[in-house]
Amino acid sequence: MPELPEVETTRRGVAPHVVGHKVVDVKVYDRRLRWPVPADLAAQLVGRTVASLQRRSKYLLFRVGAGTLLVHLGMTGSLRVHTTVPARRKHDHIDLVFANGVTLRYHDPRRFGAMLWVAGPPERHPLLQKLGPEPFDAAFDADYLWRETRGRRAAIKLALMDNHLVVGVGNIYANEALFRAGIRPTLAAGRVSRPRLTRLVEETRAVLEEAIAKGGSTLRDYVDAGGEPGYFQLDYFVYGRAGLPCRVCGTRLKLTRQGQRATHHCPACQR
Ligand SMILES: [Zn+2]
């Protein structure tokens, strides 16, 4: 599933080819994504110029005139830039064609993604309205986390993955940030001390930044590439390493489940 770093890398890969360019055609081959692609999408986009491409959580926001094209990659979605358009493959559902000759193609085998038109301010759209701060926002700091988690019995890992608290910290990055901060994933959020929350904010940002930096080396894969975009394999400390020795202390890493997601942790390093 594309996580925040993959979505941010998509934004950086796609933006230079579409921002400042006019849409000349919209081809919808299959409307059946998570929600139906709006029937008036072409009418909204054709003849208009993409003013900017932003990211909010795992949504891409193409600002076009007074409205916004909202794109979510779901479980298996990807966007590719083509300067010479290859034959349509299975699961290529939508083409946006630009005046500069670029075609932006949406591909999604499982069709859990979304492409929606938002007429008003996108931050008020129901999908975006209740989202917490971005992990890189100044608003996401230890004071904020401390205030929001006091009295909460939910495990700190589940809190960190809750979009209302902070967006874009998926399972891999929650596992890694908690290891690096030395915090046991099952500890009640309300019991994590302020200094440890400071550390958690730092490590959450660091692990996401490292993944985004890795993504930078794949930016060329967004243009005229045939295969699927890769996922950024960091040298994980704990994720996917259950049963192996901790890279720091050698203790055997443990695998548990929290909210149906795999939790990997070191019983010695994480308290
Ligand atoms: Zn350890």
Side-chain angles (χ1 to χ4, degrees):
M1 185 184 312
E3 297 281 358
L4 184 146
E6 285 85 16
V7 178
E8 177 60 22
T9 299
T10 298
R11 189 189 71 77
R12 294 179 188 187
V14 166
H17 304 279
V18 305
V19 173
H21 297 288
K22 188 186 281 190
V23 180
V24 294
D25 198 6
V26 174
K27 297 171 184 167
V28 179
Y29 304 107
D30 194 338
R31 295 194 180 282
R32 298 168 303 160
L33 299 186
R34 182 164 181 189
W35 298 283
V37 177
D40 66 346
L41 190 66
Q44 298 292 357
L45 293 175
V46 170
R48 286 177 167 161
T49 297
V50 176
S52 66
L53 174 52
Q54 298 159 328
R55 179 188 57 75
R56 175 74 174 110
S57 185
K58 295 204 293 182
Y59 293 91
L60 291 167
L61 283 68
F62 295 76
R63 302 300 194 111
V64 183
T68 304
L69 173 68
L70 198 65
V71 177
H72 195 282
L73 302 175
M75 309 275 287
T76 54
S78 59
L79 281 171
R80 286 304 179 75
V81 169
H82 295 291
T83 52
T84 47
V85 188
R88 232 184 99 217
R89 292 176 308 159
K90 201 177 175 189
H91 311 302
D92 286 343
H93 302 312
I94 298 160
D95 281 345
L96 304 185
V97 185
F98 291 84
N100 61 352
V102 155
T103 291
L104 183 64
R105 178 164 279 179
Y106 182 74
H107 177 86
D108 190 353
R110 294 188 63 184
R111 291 192 279 107
F112 280 117
M115 201 171 280
L116 298 170
W117 177 252
V118 183
E123 61 275 10
R124 289 196 213 144
H125 190 275
L127 289 168
L128 304 186
Q129 199 173 26
K130 293 193 176 139
L131 294 176
E134 292 283 327
F136 301 114
D137 273 2
F140 177 66
D141 63 8
D143 282 350
Y144 166 80
L145 265 189
W146 193 81
R147 251 186 351 258
E148 293 292 321
T149 54
R150 287 317 87 181
R152 277 178 71 163
R153 287 187 206 160
I156 185 66
K157 184 183 172 219
L158 297 180
L160 192 59
M161 291 177 67
D162 177 356
N163 268 335
H164 299 100
L165 188 68
V166 57
V167 300
V169 187
N171 192 41
I172 294 172
Y173 302 107
N175 273 296
E176 290 295 303
L178 286 164
F179 174 82
R180 289 160 60 142
I183 300 170
R184 183 162 44 87
T186 50
L187 190 60
R191 293 189 53 207
V192 183
S193 70
R194 190 130 160 173
R196 302 182 85 199
L197 291 176
T198 301
R199 183 80 192 281
L200 183 58
V201 167
E202 288 167 4
E203 297 296 353
T204 299
R205 286 187 180 140
V207 73
L208 289 169
E209 268 165 13
E210 284 167 28
I212 291 169
K214 281 253 173 176
S217 62
T218 72
L219 281 182
R220 61 188 160 71
D221 296 347
Y222 286 82
V223 183
D224 292 327
E228 294 315 309
Y231 290 93
F232 317 142
Q233 292 290 314
L234 299 177
D235 296 325
Y236 298 130
F237 280 104
V238 286
Y239 184 77
R241 298 193 65 246
L244 296 172
C246 172
R247 292 193 200 279
V248 171
C249 74
T251 302
R252 187 184 291 262
L253 298 179
K254 280 200 162 168
L255 172 65
T256 52
R257 296 220 150 241
Q258 288 178 282
Q260 289 143 346
R261 308 301 302 273
T263 293
H264 310 257
H265 84 284
C266 173
C269 292
Q270 293 172 265
R271 295 283 172 187

